[in-house]
Amino acid sequence: MTRTNTEELINRTVIANRLDSITKEMGLALEHSAHSPIFAEACDFACCICDKDGELVSQLSGIPILATAGSFSVQSVLRKYKDNIKNGDVFIINDPYDGGNHLPDIGIITPVFFEESLMFFCVSRAHHGDIGGSTAGSYNPKATEIFQEGIRIPPTKLMSNNEFIIEVLDMILINTRNPKMLKSDLLAQIGANKVAVKRILEMVEAYTPAVVNKAIAETLEQTEMLTRKRIREVPDGIYRATEYIDDDGYQEEPVKIEIAVKVEGDRLLVDFEGTDKQVKGFINTSVVTATTASGIAVLWFLGSDIPRNGGAFRCIDVNLPKGSLVNPYEPAPVTLCTLTPASEIIGTIFQALGQAGPGKVPAGYARYAGPSYYGKDPRNNRYYVGFSFCSTGSGGAMKGSDGKSYMSAMSNFGGVRTPNIESNEIQYPHITRYHEMETDTAGAGEYRGGAGMRYAFELYDEGSHIVNFGDGMKFAPYGLNGGHQGSLNKGVFLHTEKPVIMESKEAPRRVAKGDQVILNSSGGGGWGNPLDRPAEKVYDDVLDEIITIKTAVDIYGVVITEEGIDYDKTNKLRNGKKLCKN
């Protein structure tokens, strides 16, 4: 290798890693400066950097469904503003029909100029507590069109010459229930982008624009080459799978996601032909979300060492039939799409690609199901909107690893953090009754899923409301390679001491002081035959109260006495069960 090639390789590696560190610093700035618990504690945001053409260069490993979508937002800005992008501009966007995921996720986009030349865009995308619409919190299970879900913001210039365009800002804020909180969080996003702009300019100053541009182009090319190599290693063919969503909140029939993953040479197509048509309820999916979810699933399968930048997506195609669940006609409602069906899209692709490479993908994760709650806090008379982040279920197992308990939905891959119980009680007028893992909810397998959760809280403000939304009350997380399903989500609303079974998608319910919400979140799916799980691990699960002694015998074939494992009876029982199966 010549000295020039060595220098270029070093530059490429250092610059790529520096950009990654900048996106991480953006995330820290956003987390530490935001007032909203959704930002500061749940960290429901993502940050990324795109090149001047809108191609993803680097992203924070936060919420994948948000970060990967950043390039779509930049491309929407470029289409609308073209040559009218100047130093000191800042853009805002959330429209799912024009570069956005769903309305609560607002993107702030800041162009980066070096000596009058546009070089990058910094993007922070974050979930906001309320962006208007007919229901506080903006999750409205009974919405039938997007206008009921909140304010739509197409690519719009929010700042010029580093000053707010006040008319634009005021128009957005007045359409929300908590304008002070929204403004504060937007300022946190703008500030995070400013941090990135400063760091990027320092890097360009040190290396020169030519060196930086060359390094980025080569990084994207290297990622594309690696992705193509991994696709070539997958046997050519068509791999099919089907998954179902409980319902859309109106129809009782399940909603079908049908996917064919077509591998040919060094290209891969995710084809949604056969997926159900768009529905009345708010589980329709924006093109951005469906495309992003597809890319996330494919790259998980191909390998974690592939950088998550635009080069990786150059050889992954996605077919989204117009008018279907994954590409609806306007103005279909879409707010739930980043949870359901984004998670189900990922899971369906996993099941398809699992046929090409068994053991490379996990079993099913818990689907999100829990309420938002809103009203006036009696302690300070302030309006609040909260979300039950503590109702997350658990992850699915994969070959070599049990599923992790207490994980966010598959579309977030654990990126959303759950808040500290005590601080959550300070921020919102409720008390946690209990919060613990639940026995016999983990999908059985050689590697078991994570255990489900039991969570209950009591509201003590008079006249508040709850809105339950999510899925997974009819379809449990799937098992793989002989592993068992996980458990189902369940919800009970204890209203004036009378229990009411909650559905996964409900209109707002009025809350009386002392009412309780009781949630049972799903355990993850299992991987492999439960009879192959080491008896010692089954015994440990019994001691940890993840499973009962009865489940140890009935499902795992492990006989446990007061003295411990009875190996003779266990071997006899397991051999008999395996013979019966064969």
Side-chain angles (χ1 to χ4, degrees):
M1 183 179 289
T2 67
R3 178 178 176 180
T4 301
N5 288 339
T6 302
E7 184 179 353
E8 290 176 351
L9 176 61
I10 292 171
N11 286 341
R12 183 169 73 235
T13 304
V14 172
I15 288 170
N17 280 280
R18 191 157 176 179
L19 288 168
D20 287 346
S21 70
I22 291 171
T23 57
K24 291 176 183 176
E25 189 176 359
M26 289 174 71
L28 288 172
L30 191 50
E31 178 184 352
H32 294 160
S33 60
H35 289 174
S36 166
I38 300 174
F39 286 23
E41 291 202 33
C43 294
D44 194 351
F45 59 75
C47 304
C48 71
I49 297 170
C50 296
D51 66 16
K52 63 182 178 63
D53 298 315
E55 190 163 21
L56 186 65
V57 171
S58 177
Q59 60 173 300
L60 168 69
S61 183
I63 311 301
I65 206 73
L66 300 185
T68 309
S71 61
F72 289 89
S73 296
V74 174
Q75 288 162 16
S76 290
V77 168
L78 286 166
R79 280 194 300 271
K80 181 173 180 179
Y81 288 91
K82 297 179 182 177
D83 298 326
N84 191 27
I85 299 173
K86 299 175 182 177
N87 198 6
D89 287 345
V90 173
F91 301 89
I92 187 169
I93 183 174
N94 79 341
D95 188 0
Y97 290 99
D98 193 358
N101 283 94
H102 66 167
L103 294 180
D105 291 339
I106 295 180
I108 296 294
I109 300 165
T110 306
V112 183
F113 285 81
F114 184 82
E115 295 180 351
E116 307 304 319
S117 295
L118 176 63
M119 292 193 66
F120 295 99
F121 290 92
C122 301
V123 185
S124 59
R125 296 173 65 85
H127 188 109
H128 291 261
D130 183 80
I131 41 83
S134 56
T135 300
S138 305
Y139 282 97
N140 180 3
K142 296 307 174 184
T144 57
E145 55 184 13
I146 195 171
F147 307 112
Q148 296 162 350
E149 298 185 297
I151 181 172
R152 289 174 69 179
I153 310 171
T156 302
K157 192 173 291 189
L158 179 64
M159 298 181 72
S160 179
N161 293 319
N162 295 309
E163 297 288 340
F164 276 112
I165 302 173
I166 296 301
E167 293 85 353
V168 173
L169 179 63
D170 286 349
M171 182 189 66
I172 294 169
L173 297 179
I174 202 170
N175 279 284
T176 67
R177 294 172 177 82
N178 199 340
K180 289 184 178 179
M181 182 69 77
L182 177 61
K183 183 177 180 180
S184 173
D185 288 345
L186 290 176
L187 286 170
Q189 288 184 255
I190 292 167
N193 285 10
K194 283 184 176 180
V195 169
V197 171
K198 182 175 185 293
R199 296 288 184 258
I200 289 172
L201 291 178
E202 290 171 350
M203 180 187 70
V204 176
E205 182 74 39
Y207 284 94
T208 75
V211 170
V212 170
N213 287 334
K214 181 177 175 59
I216 289 170
E218 290 175 349
T219 297
L220 296 175
E221 288 171 8
Q222 291 290 325
T223 300
E224 179 183 0
M225 289 171 59
L226 177 57
T227 308
R228 290 185 184 277
K229 176 178 179 293
R230 292 294 169 78
I231 294 174
R232 284 195 298 270
E233 293 170 358
V234 181
D236 282 1
I238 301 176
Y239 305 95
R240 301 181 185 276
T242 302
E243 189 61 274
Y244 292 92
I245 299 166
D246 287 354
D247 52 62
D248 74 333
Y250 285 97
Q251 66 185 55
E252 293 186 2
E253 298 80 9
V255 181
K256 180 178 69 172
I257 297 173
E258 186 172 314
I259 288 175
V261 180
K262 302 178 182 179
V263 180
E264 186 174 358
D266 63 357
R267 294 200 68 83
L268 184 149
L269 168 67
V270 180
D271 190 351
F272 285 83
E273 195 67 48
T275 294
D276 279 352
K277 294 185 181 300
Q278 68 185 77
V279 292
K280 184 176 182 180
F282 73 153
I283 65 169
N284 297 294
T285 308
S286 63
V287 167
V288 171
T289 299
T291 305
T292 300
S294 300
I296 289 168
V298 170
L299 290 178
W300 176 305
F301 174 80
L302 293 178
S304 59
D305 59 330
I306 298 176
R308 270 45 177 174
N309 61 43
F313 299 103
R314 291 175 180 175
C315 36
I316 300 171
D317 300 313
V318 182
N319 176 42
L320 305 168
K322 190 64 182 175
S324 71
L325 183 78
V326 292
N327 187 4
Y329 291 104
E330 294 187 50
V334 298
T335 295
L336 194 58
C337 73
T338 59
L339 293 168
T340 296
S343 295
E344 288 67 56
I345 288 171
I346 294 169
T348 311
I349 295 171
F350 280 176
Q351 291 176 75
L353 286 172
Q355 301 162 30
K360 295 183 69 174
V361 294
Y365 277 48
R367 304 182 186 187
Y368 179 83
S372 60
Y373 39 91
Y374 58 91
K376 281 202 172 181
D377 192 327
R379 298 168 299 181
N380 53 30
N381 205 36
R382 292 177 184 166
Y383 195 84
Y384 71 89
V385 178
F387 297 89
S388 56
F389 287 111
C390 294
S391 67
T392 38
S394 296
M398 62 186 301
K399 186 177 181 180
S401 175
D402 290 343
K404 301 212 178 277
S405 294
Y406 202 34
M407 294 278 288
S408 55
M410 192 175 272
S411 59
N412 294 333
F413 285 135
V416 172
R417 300 178 194 168
T418 50
N420 175 278
I421 292 294
E422 286 75 17
S423 62
N424 210 28
E425 291 175 340
I426 292 171
Q427 288 153 354
Y428 302 111
H430 74 268
I431 297 172
T432 299
R433 305 286 294 190
Y434 53 80
H435 190 220
E436 59 195 11
M437 287 193 291
E438 186 172 11
T439 305
D440 281 345
T441 54
E446 179 181 359
Y447 302 97
R448 61 160 175 78
M453 305 297 298
R454 295 175 68 243
Y455 172 53
F457 62 92
E458 177 182 319
L459 291 147
Y460 57 78
D461 59 322
E462 192 72 52
S464 60
H465 290 79
I466 63 167
V467 182
N468 204 47
F469 59 91
D471 205 69
M473 293 186 173
K474 300 175 184 176
F475 293 95
Y478 57 86
L480 285 180
N481 201 44
H484 292 199
Q485 291 183 335
S487 57
L488 290 169
N489 288 322
K490 299 175 186 176
V492 174
F493 179 48
L494 197 60
H495 180 52
T496 61
E497 299 185 353
K498 297 175 183 176
V500 179
I501 302 298
M502 292 194 294
E503 297 178 356
S504 62
K505 303 166 187 70
E506 293 189 337
R509 291 181 181 270
R510 192 169 179 84
V511 177
K513 185 177 181 179
D515 283 356
Q516 293 181 33
V517 176
I518 303 166
L519 302 167
N520 297 78
S521 303
S522 300
W527 192 97
N529 188 341
L531 298 174
D532 293 329
R533 185 169 179 81
E536 295 78 12
K537 287 191 174 183
V538 176
Y539 183 49
D540 287 342
D541 287 345
V542 170
L543 293 178
D544 292 336
E545 299 183 1
I546 293 173
I547 62 172
T548 58
I549 288 178
K550 186 177 186 303
T551 296
V553 174
D554 294 347
I555 304 298
Y556 289 95
V558 176
V559 179
I560 297 173
T561 68
E562 290 183 0
E563 287 73 33
I565 302 168
D566 187 323
Y567 284 98
D568 289 339
K569 289 184 178 180
T570 293
N571 291 335
K572 184 177 179 180
L573 180 59
R574 283 188 156 187
N575 289 335
K577 284 178 175 286
K578 288 180 179 179
L579 283 173
C580 288
K581 274 196 169 185
N582 295 331

